[in-house]
Amino acid sequence: DERREQREAEEEDELNERLEQRLNRNARMSELYEEFARVATEEQLARFEQYKRSKFPRAAMRRLMADVVGSSTERSAIILASIAKMFVGDLVESAVEAMAAAGETGPVRPHHLRNAHHKAKRAGIVPSSSLHRYTMFWQSNSGP
C-alpha cells in the first residue's frame, strides 16, 4: 500500500515536471513569436500566417510512407508531413530571396521554385536516386 502511494506520488511529480516543461516551451515560443512580429514586415507576417495554416493531408502522407517504406503509422505520417512542410517552406524562402536579389517583386512563380529546387539539389539538400528519375516540376513556358 505504501509502495503504491510512493509510485503514485512519483508519477504525479513526473507529470507536474512535464507540464512545467511544456509551459516553459510555450512561453519561449510566445516570446519568439512576439519578437518575430516586432521585426517582420507585413509581407513576412502574412506569409508566416499562411505557413501556419497550411498542411499536407495525413492520408496522402500515410500512402506515400507505405509506398516507400512498406508500412506506415499515424505518427510517421505526421512526421513526414512536418518534414515536407519544412522542405516546401525552405524552397519558397529560397525563391523569395532569389527574387529579392534579382530585384523582382510580386508572387513567386513556378520558375522561381524550380530554380530554388535545383539550387537545393546542387547543395545536396535533395537526395538523388539512381533507381528512378522523378521530375518535381513540370516545365512549361512559365518563366525565363
Side-chain angles (χ1 to χ4, degrees):
D1 202 34
E2 192 174 305
R3 196 179 242 174
R4 191 177 114 241
E5 288 177 9
Q6 183 180 5
R7 187 177 60 228
E8 287 176 358
E10 288 173 0
E11 288 175 358
E12 188 174 332
D13 289 344
E14 183 180 335
L15 179 62
N16 287 334
E17 185 178 324
R18 284 185 191 172
L19 288 173
E20 189 173 326
Q21 288 173 349
R22 183 177 288 173
L23 288 173
N24 289 339
R25 277 195 306 265
N26 289 344
R28 178 69 179 137
M29 289 304 293
S30 293
E31 290 172 14
L32 290 172
Y33 181 76
E34 288 173 13
E35 178 67 25
F36 173 70
R38 278 196 298 274
V39 299
T41 65
E42 287 297 319
E43 180 184 354
Q44 287 172 325
L45 284 172
R47 204 166 51 238
F48 180 70
E49 289 300 322
Q50 287 295 326
Y51 176 79
K52 278 184 14 181
R53 282 192 290 258
S54 67
K55 66 179 183 175
F56 285 90
R58 286 190 190 159
M61 295 292 107
R62 282 188 77 151
R63 280 193 306 273
L64 176 64
M65 185 70 105
D67 288 347
V68 172
V69 179
S71 66
S72 178
T73 63
E74 187 67 20
R75 182 171 283 176
S76 65
I78 292 169
I79 292 168
L80 182 60
S82 300
I83 292 169
K85 185 175 177 176
M86 288 188 296
F87 175 71
V88 170
D90 288 345
L91 283 184
V92 170
E93 193 60 33
S94 177
V96 168
E97 288 171 0
M99 284 177 58
E104 297 180 42
T105 59
V108 175
R109 296 180 40 213
H111 71 275
H112 296 121
L113 292 171
R114 194 176 306 111
N115 291 340
H117 181 258
H118 290 306
K119 180 181 172 185
K121 250 184 145 170
R122 284 190 304 273
I125 296 169
V126 179
S128 297
S129 172
S130 60
L131 298 176
H132 55 9
R133 180 166 164 91
Y134 176 72
T135 304
M136 177 169 258
F137 294 102
W138 177 69
Q139 295 195 8
S140 68
N141 189 11
S142 62

